[in-house]
């Protein structure tokens, strides 16, 4: 796909209107080594479900556990499998210097844009948050989507500043502070993209849409695109009864299980994908796979959720 930021924005906007955003899991062998063949097969399955865009090597894809060579392979396979059908937005992170190294790799691999994950460890003032993006933007030709989560939270004034940085095209929000988010959307220039990046974003999708952020990433799409797509269609078409039923009978109990153990936001998703026969393998430390009891509960919940949309394990 490639092209200038304007073409990437158009492709993302078009994709966001048609489907959820896919954040693929990264496949590992039982010994923790990268399973590139498994990842290729998994990504092909994700793309068959027609997501709005593909975001490899981000939080769900365990970016934090990949070395640079593994990252190059993961992004490269995602680009190859996408084949220009949907935008490929690769994750980058840590400080700006290390993020720039990953940005170069992603650019060489053919990614269309970058999702800038929160920087490592330290709290920073607003001037520093803006400078972080300025430093990275100066070192890559790829468009950037800022991700506010954890220690990164922009004010409305800072949003206007980052929106003027050449190449910065949007913001993904993981704080779910709707008061702050409304201020950001009102301060943003026309055409600036916003993404709902809340964990299990469907829970808050209606609230985000009400403040002007209808597009969202879906962890559920990583293991049950049938459920994710049914929810997206019902939300788009205003079928509140369907969205309420999916929320009540699947999403809320899934979130309650997810919140039981730190790291389950990724490891529970990966376990659910394995239950569907997807070749994703285990998580890498410091994450841990679900307990036997939690896995049994997950299996029952997944089966019930698939039944709701006429699918099966």
């Amino acid at each position: 796909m490639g092209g200038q930021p304007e073409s990437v924005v158009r492709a993302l906007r078009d994709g966001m209107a048609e489907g959820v955003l896919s954040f693929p899991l990264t496949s590992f062998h039982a010994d923790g080594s990268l399973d590139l063949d498994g990842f290729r097969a998994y990504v092909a399955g994700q793309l068959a479900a027609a997501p709005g865009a593909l975001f490899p090597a981000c939080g769900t894809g365990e970016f934090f556990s990949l070395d640079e060579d593994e990252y190059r392979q993961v992004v490269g396979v995602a680009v190859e499998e996408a084949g220009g059908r949907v935008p490929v937005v690769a994750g980058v992170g840590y400080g700006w210097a290390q993020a720039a190294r990953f940005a170069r790799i992603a650019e060489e691999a053919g990614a269309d844009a970058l999702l800038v994950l929160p920087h490592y460890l330290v709290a920073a003032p607003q001037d520093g948050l803006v400078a972080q993006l300025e430093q990275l933007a100066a070192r890559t030709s790829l468009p950037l989507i800022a991700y506010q989560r954890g220690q990164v939270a922009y004010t409305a004034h800072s949003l206007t500043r980052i929106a003027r940085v050449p190449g910065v095209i949007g913001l993904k929000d993981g704080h779910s502070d709707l008061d702050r988010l409304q201020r950001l959307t009102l301060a943003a220039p026309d055409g600036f993209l916003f993404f709902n990046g809340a964990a299990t974003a469907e829970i808050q999708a209606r609230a985000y849409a009400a403040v002007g952020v209808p597009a969202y990433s879906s962890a559920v799409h990583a293991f049950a695109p049938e459920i994710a797509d049914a929810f997206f269609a019902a939300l788009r078409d205003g079928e509140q009864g369907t969205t309420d039923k999916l929320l009540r009978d699947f999403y809320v109990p899934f979130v309650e299980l997810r919140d039981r153990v730190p790291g389950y936001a990724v490891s529970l998703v990966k376990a659910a994908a394995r239950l569907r026969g997807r070749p994703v393998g285990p998580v890498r430390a410091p994450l841990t796979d679900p307990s036997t009891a939690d896995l049994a509960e997950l299996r029952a919940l997944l089966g019930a959720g698939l039944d709701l949309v006429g699918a099966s394990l």
Side-chain angles (χ1 to χ4, degrees), residues 213-232:
V213 185
Y216 61 90
S217 56
S218 174
V220 171
H221 190 277
F223 63 86
E226 305 96 325
I227 299 173
D229 289 345
F231 184 90
F232 178 87

Side-chain angles (χ1 to χ4, degrees), residues 143-178:
L144 304 178
I145 299 168
Y147 189 4
Q148 64 169 16
R149 190 179 186 130
Q151 69 269 36
V152 176
Y154 297 99
T155 63
H157 176 63
S158 293
L159 188 283
T160 63
R161 293 174 63 191
I162 67 171
R164 291 196 297 268
V165 175
V168 176
I169 63 172
L171 176 76
K172 183 182 180 187
D173 174 73
H175 283 296
S176 303
D177 181 341
L178 296 180

Side-chain angles (χ1 to χ4, degrees), residues 55-73:
F55 286 68
C58 293
T60 306
E62 298 178 76
F63 166 79
F64 54 86
S65 75
L66 299 175
D67 66 29
E68 292 183 10
D69 185 58
E70 291 170 332
Y71 176 85
R72 177 180 291 103
Q73 295 179 74

Side-chain angles (χ1 to χ4, degrees), residues 200-305:
T200 315
E202 286 91 343
I203 290 286
Q204 301 182 62
R206 289 190 294 213
Y208 268 80
V211 296
V213 185
Y216 61 90
S217 56
S218 174
V220 171
H221 190 277
F223 63 86
E226 305 96 325
I227 299 173
D229 289 345
F231 184 90
F232 178 87
L235 183 66
R236 178 196 58 203
D237 298 339
E239 298 175 0
Q240 184 168 338
T242 300
T243 56
D244 282 352
K245 185 169 183 59
L246 287 168
L247 288 170
R248 183 184 304 112
D249 296 344
F250 174 74
Y251 281 99
V252 168
F254 177 76
V255 167
E256 290 173 350
L257 180 56
R258 182 204 70 197
D259 289 347
R260 193 172 293 170
V261 176
Y264 265 19
V266 176
S267 56
L268 201 70
V269 170
K270 214 165 195 183
R274 292 195 301 274
L275 289 173
R276 303 292 310 280
R278 307 300 187 255
V280 297
V283 292
R284 277 181 172 173
L287 300 180
T288 59
D289 289 314
S291 68
T292 300
D294 288 346
L295 191 61
E297 187 173 338
L298 175 63
R299 181 188 292 273
L301 177 58
L302 179 56

